[in-house]
Amino acid sequence: MAATCPWQWFITLTFLWDVRSETADAKLKEWLNLVERTLRTRVCFVAGKERKPHSYGMEVPWHFHILAMSPAAMPKGLLEESWRTLMSPAARRLLEA
């Protein structure tokens, strides 16, 4: 089924800190809302959330792998900057103002 959709992007979203599962989910929703508001259209996506507690002696925190598409073009810069904005405390304060 996923192969028949005209996916525009395969995206991996990572966190700068060891995030709780609930916080990861909330940040994904916040990011999608920000992208949709900017594009002024809906984004269709399939997301997988992954965490590896002890992978080769390293802990890999929660992160998302996403297939995304939209009726509008989704510029790479918009997707990256939107996520960076949510990950930066200084940028987050600007969004709330």
Side-chain angles (χ1 to χ4, degrees):
M1 171 99 166
T4 62
C5 293
W7 300 110
Q8 292 167 294
W9 289 104
F10 175 79
I11 304 161
T12 300
L13 299 176
T14 61
F15 293 88
L16 302 174
W17 66 94
D18 189 17
V19 66
R20 292 179 36 219
S21 178
E22 298 82 10
T23 303
D25 294 344
K27 288 294 176 188
L28 175 63
K29 290 176 188 175
E30 190 176 352
W31 177 74
L32 285 165
N33 286 333
L34 181 58
V35 170
E36 287 181 337
R37 277 195 317 269
T38 304
L39 294 174
R40 296 183 177 168
T41 190
R42 304 291 292 175
V43 172
C44 179
F45 70 97
V46 175
K49 184 168 67 170
E50 179 179 33
R51 176 177 178 251
K52 297 178 184 176
H54 299 287
S55 179
Y56 299 103
M58 295 174 50
E59 185 158 327
V60 179
W62 288 112
H63 59 282
F64 293 98
H65 300 288
I66 301 165
L67 288 170
M69 61 184 273
S70 174
M74 295 191 298
K76 180 181 178 184
L78 166 68
L79 302 174
E80 291 173 339
E81 192 57 34
S82 298
W83 186 248
R84 264 191 237 109
T85 297
L86 295 177
M87 295 298 103
S88 164
R92 203 171 319 127
R93 282 193 296 275
L94 288 174
L95 272 181
E96 293 168 358

